Amino acid sequence: SETVTRDDDGVLTVGGIDVKRLAEEYGTPAYVLDEDDFRSRARAWRTAFGDNADVFYAGKAFLSRAVVRWLNEEGLNLDVCSGGELATALSAGMPAERIAFHGNNKSVAEIRRAVEAGVGRIVLDSFQEIVRVAHIARELGTRQRVQIRITVGVEAHTHEFIATAHEDQKFGIPLAGGQAAEAVRRALQLDSLELIGIHSHIGSQIFDMSGFEVAAHRVVGLLKDIRDEHGVELPEIDLGGGLGIAYTSDDDPREPHEIAKALTEIVTRECEAAKLRTPRISVEPGRAIVGPTAFTLYEVGTVKPLDGLRTYVSVDGGMSDNIRTALYDAEYSVSLVSRSSDAEPMLARVVGKHCESGDIVVKDAFLPGDLAPGDLIAVPATGAYCRSMASNYNHVLRPPVVAVKDGQARVIVRRETEEDLLRLDVG
Ligand code: LLP
């Protein structure tokens, strides 16, 4: 981000605070999040679409009460996908009508709570859920705004585990075979549901806009079929999230305004061709807002050179604070941030402290050959899906999230303690 610099001794400074001070005050590992960067990315997304669209930040990427307040202040909406995320959002004052509730297996209790709270939309994910939500809304004497999530049959070019638009998977209702049209038919018949639109999310960490183009084309095709069959033009479409960010210098992400322009053009063009009123668009970026805003600060422990292979650099965290390398073969970069070094670079692998050989944070990296225990290293772009997917494996304590801004640091999620761990242990 813009506020990251190096001082004369090579010490990294972010938001006006140097990492040695952060490590002293808050310990390591720690996620260090640049609040100004977060806010400016959130704002860039909101302003990119002007008033023609709604931006729902995907809370699964990283959610805390501070984040909810920032989003609220910046005029973004929020996508939640569990009762826990919903509770966090509501407790931090996000107005319920600006919350969208997702998930392929929302429980009856979760649905009831969302309807009672008055969430702006529930994204229906199956035939059973159409009936379930309708029933609960009727019981509560209300009419719930809903979207139907469909799978458009696009192969997104990303890791299999994070691609979500092909049909053979658990999310959504397939467009194929008239299933989505049938879902719409049923939803329109139920008085306690107000069907406001169609939803499609094709996957994550996507750079190529062509998948979104195909998705938009097919969603608009469905809107047209709905108009022809029922005489109603649904007012909204949601194209999901999934926009890629730069994890390493090989990635070349697109800016929000380019994405907004491309999506708006596709939808407008498709609607004109189908003689439909252009629906209001919504998007759900998670990673693209929070991913680049944080890095993980680790202290180097054991440094183990293996002759002819590489040097294993162990840090004080690992797969418990970043599971993405083990899970998706994700690529990250890493640098020495507590000093400068003129030493020859060495081929390194940054690994954690867990009892597992797959506990790798950065698979291949060049680090200075004089790297030593006590040095601080930073892994950038860990704002999304690292703290939110963190675990207590090996009873390692989950790191804090420290927000920095204007020379001030503030803990927004504190470090876990042994008491936290033991609190759940009964007997
Ligand atoms: N909307 C829906 C319906 C989603 O399922 C997701 C992500 C998003 C929005 C936000 O996607 P984003 O813009 O953050 O890519 N844990 C994985 C990614 C799984 C994401 C699941 N859904 C990872 O670490 O890459």
Side-chain angles (χ1 to χ4, degrees):
S1 81
E2 278 148 36
T3 66
V4 175
T5 53
R6 294 261 184 178
D7 72 12
D8 295 344
D9 300 322
V11 181
L12 191 87
T13 294
V14 55
I17 309 188
D18 82 62
V19 291
K20 284 167 104 168
R21 231 182 84 200
L22 287 170
E24 259 160 45
E25 271 178 43
Y26 304 101
T28 54
Y31 304 100
V32 180
L33 191 155
D34 182 342
E35 179 180 337
D36 282 336
D37 195 24
F38 183 98
R39 285 178 181 271
S40 76
R41 285 173 196 278
R43 210 173 303 141
W45 274 93
R46 188 176 54 71
T47 53
F49 285 96
D51 293 328
N52 300 322
D54 299 302
V55 181
F56 286 77
Y57 169 80
K60 65 205 87 184
F62 172 61
L63 198 64
S64 75
R65 288 155 54 99
V67 162
V68 174
R69 282 186 215 107
W70 300 340
L71 292 166
N72 208 348
E73 286 163 15
E74 300 299 340
L76 272 74
N77 307 308
L78 180 62
D79 145 7
V80 301
C81 67
S82 71
E85 288 183 359
L86 178 61
T88 305
L90 292 173
S91 85
M94 178 59 80
E97 64 271 15
R98 280 168 49 199
I99 299 176
F101 187 26
H102 266 282
N104 67 301
N105 191 25
K106 307 168 191 80
S107 72
V108 167
E110 285 174 322
I111 296 168
R112 184 166 293 133
R113 185 156 185 209
V115 175
E116 263 168 355
V119 298
R121 60 172 77 156
I122 295 183
V123 183
L124 302 174
D125 200 83
S126 66
F127 283 95
Q128 291 182 343
E129 201 176 70
I130 295 172
V131 178
R132 209 173 279 151
V133 172
H135 183 75
I136 292 168
R138 186 167 345 102
E139 252 178 24
L140 294 171
T142 179
R143 191 150 190 255
Q144 178 61 48
R145 290 159 61 87
V146 295
Q147 292 190 339
I148 293 177
R149 177 165 175 179
I150 67 167
T151 46
V152 293
V154 174
E155 295 292 331
H157 299 283
T158 187
H159 192 281
E160 183 193 340
F161 293 178
I162 55 180
T164 54
H166 54 292
E167 280 146 9
D168 186 1
Q169 56 140 326
K170 70 171 185 167
F171 291 112
I173 297 176
L175 190 59
Q179 295 176 80
E182 177 58 22
V184 168
R185 225 166 270 141
R186 294 194 197 171
L188 286 174
Q189 278 165 8
L190 295 161
D191 293 339
S192 57
L193 300 183
E194 179 187 352
L195 181 62
I196 56 168
I198 300 296
H199 184 285
S200 155
H201 170 75
I202 58 172
S204 275
Q205 187 59 5
I206 295 166
F207 293 101
D208 177 5
M209 291 302 286
S210 64
F212 288 100
E213 250 173 74
V214 178
H217 173 74
R218 298 193 179 156
V219 170
V220 172
L222 178 61
L223 292 188
K224 182 170 177 290
D225 292 346
I226 295 168
R227 192 257 332 261
D228 294 346
E229 182 179 341
H230 305 281
V232 288
E233 294 194 30
L234 297 186
E236 293 183 11
I237 70 175
D238 191 309
L239 294 173
L243 286 314
I245 62 162
Y247 282 103
T248 69
S249 54
D250 294 339
D251 300 323
D252 185 19
R254 301 181 58 180
E255 295 293 322
H257 68 268
E258 293 176 80
I259 293 160
K261 187 162 175 282
L263 292 181
T264 312
E265 275 175 12
I266 300 163
V267 173
T268 310
R269 193 181 61 224
E270 295 287 332
C271 287
E272 274 170 13
K275 299 202 166 47
L276 280 169
R277 222 176 305 128
T278 306
R280 193 171 173 79
I281 300 175
S282 48
V283 289
E284 300 170 337
R287 183 191 328 261
I289 292 176
V290 71
T293 68
F295 60 83
T296 314
L297 187 62
Y298 297 104
E299 185 179 296
V300 171
T302 303
V303 177
K304 187 187 286 183
L306 293 186
D307 287 346
L309 293 170
R310 71 185 83 242
T311 298
Y312 279 80
V313 173
S314 295
V315 294
D316 44 1
M319 66 192 294
S320 54
D321 60 69
N322 186 350
I323 190 68
R324 299 192 70 262
T325 307
L327 192 56
Y328 312 121
D329 251 334
E331 284 182 27
Y332 285 93
S333 68
V334 57
S335 0
L336 170 63
V337 290
S338 50
R339 63 183 172 92
S340 52
S341 166
D342 296 327
E344 278 291 302
M346 61 177 178
L347 179 61
R349 176 164 289 173
V350 178
V351 297
K353 59 180 287 157
H354 295 276
C355 293
E356 182 130 351
S357 57
D359 171 25
I360 296 167
V361 180
V362 187
K363 206 166 172 191
D364 298 301
F366 282 93
L367 282 166
D370 63 351
L371 198 75
D375 281 334
L376 298 175
I377 60 176
V379 175
T382 58
Y385 304 109
C386 287
R387 182 59 181 77
S388 69
M389 294 171 86
S391 77
N392 288 124
Y393 184 37
N394 299 141
H395 283 204
V396 168
L397 306 170
R398 288 179 294 176
V401 181
V402 181
V404 294
K405 180 179 160 61
D406 303 331
Q408 303 280 329
R410 175 163 74 96
V411 174
I412 61 168
V413 179
R414 71 163 168 78
R415 184 184 301 284
E416 221 161 16
T417 62
E418 284 178 7
E419 269 144 50
D420 291 327
L421 278 184
L422 292 172
R423 188 174 302 148
L424 302 179
D425 201 314
V426 181

